[in-house]
Amino acid sequence: LNHDMTLTEFKFIWYMEYSHRMWGRVVGLAYILPAAYFWRKGWLSRPMKGCVLALCGLVCFQGLLGWYMVKSGLEEKPDSYDIPRVSQYRLAAHLGSALVLYSASLWTGLSLLLPRHKLPESHQLLRLRQFAHGTTALIFLTALSGAFVAGLDAGLVYNSFPKMGERWIPDDLLAFSPVLRNIFENPTTVQFDHRILGIASVTAVTALYLFSRKIPLPRRTRMAVTSLLAVACVQ
């Protein structure tokens, strides 16, 4: 399928994959070796031991999931004569696992470095926390939908925004049968969903920021919400 590929082009792909694997192994060692040292020294509390085991397990699972994903790109597909590509399902799982690992690591690190604020549990603060959790879930879903876009090369289908071609809703949005297949396997639907989720995420982050302005919050929390809005706009 790639008979015209040059040696230089092959080397580029090979080194990209090789360095990604090596970097992943370095990340694994950066987790596991210090964790074993701190454990042996007795520096970890009982709850932290459970947290460390979970994070180290997630690192190993991430590597296994990466191998499982790459394997899908090397399998013969009798019904497809397109360029070889990995399964979009496995790609989304690999990305989702990486996001969970990164978020859990960051949360654990900040929990140890920064003391928790003692704030009065007002109704507004409770709503802000619920809103923040909902926004987090929406952003996570948007990122996973991006993995489906990448896995199906769905970004190549329509290159105009906000319309898709000449229409707001493309004709082939529900071209596959059964209908549920379109959400995960139809490149047009996958791109459409990613656009909608992206817009919804930016809207939710903006609303979260505006709502937070009405509540007296510590400086650190206010900086976090403002930074979130800035990064969402850049993204």
Side-chain angles (χ1 to χ4, degrees), residues 94-115:
H94 190 49
L95 175 66
S97 175
L99 289 173
V100 169
L101 174 61
Y102 179 78
S103 301
S105 304
L106 189 64
W107 185 276
T108 304
L110 290 177
S111 299
L112 292 169
L113 291 170
L114 303 173

Side-chain angles (χ1 to χ4, degrees), residues 1-195:
L1 292 174
N2 293 289
H3 58 85
D4 58 341
M5 180 182 284
T6 64
L7 182 60
T8 303
E9 288 171 335
F10 174 78
K11 283 182 175 181
F12 175 76
I13 293 173
W14 192 91
Y15 279 117
M16 284 281 283
E17 176 66 20
Y18 180 76
S19 47
H20 181 67
R21 290 182 185 207
M22 291 302 107
W23 186 253
R25 287 165 186 168
V26 167
V27 169
L29 291 174
Y31 262 86
I32 295 166
L33 293 181
Y37 179 76
F38 296 153
W39 193 300
R40 187 174 177 81
K41 284 285 188 179
W43 294 346
L44 301 176
S45 63
R46 190 179 178 85
M48 188 50 60
K49 283 182 179 179
C51 189
V52 164
L53 283 176
L55 287 172
C56 288
L58 201 52
V59 167
C60 297
F61 177 70
Q62 177 69 5
L64 184 65
L65 205 52
W67 166 81
Y68 185 61
M69 178 194 74
V70 171
K71 184 174 178 289
S72 69
L74 304 175
E75 294 168 353
E76 291 288 344
K77 300 177 179 66
D79 58 336
S80 174
Y81 300 96
D82 199 356
I83 58 170
R85 56 163 58 90
V86 298
S87 162
Q88 68 270 28
Y89 297 100
R90 299 185 193 184
L91 178 61
H94 190 49
L95 175 66
S97 175
L99 289 173
V100 169
L101 174 61
Y102 179 78
S103 301
S105 304
L106 189 64
W107 185 276
T108 304
L110 290 177
S111 299
L112 292 169
L113 291 170
L114 303 173
R116 185 167 181 160
H117 285 298
K118 303 290 184 183
L119 299 175
E121 287 292 331
S122 64
H123 178 65
Q124 279 188 317
L125 190 63
L126 182 63
R127 282 185 61 194
L128 179 68
R129 189 177 290 122
Q130 290 171 340
F131 197 178
H133 289 164
T135 303
T136 303
L138 181 59
I139 292 169
F140 182 74
L141 189 62
T142 304
L144 286 191
S145 74
F148 281 90
V149 172
L152 291 169
D153 283 339
L156 304 176
V157 182
Y158 290 99
N159 299 124
S160 55
F161 186 85
K163 288 186 176 181
M164 298 178 74
E166 299 299 320
R167 305 175 68 88
W168 289 102
I169 301 176
D171 293 330
D172 54 341
L173 192 68
L174 300 175
F176 290 14
S177 182
V179 175
L180 192 62
R181 250 187 83 204
N182 290 280
I183 299 173
F184 305 106
E185 298 180 15
N186 184 340
T188 299
T189 313
V190 166
Q191 193 194 124
F192 181 80
D193 291 345
H194 188 58
R195 289 175 179 223

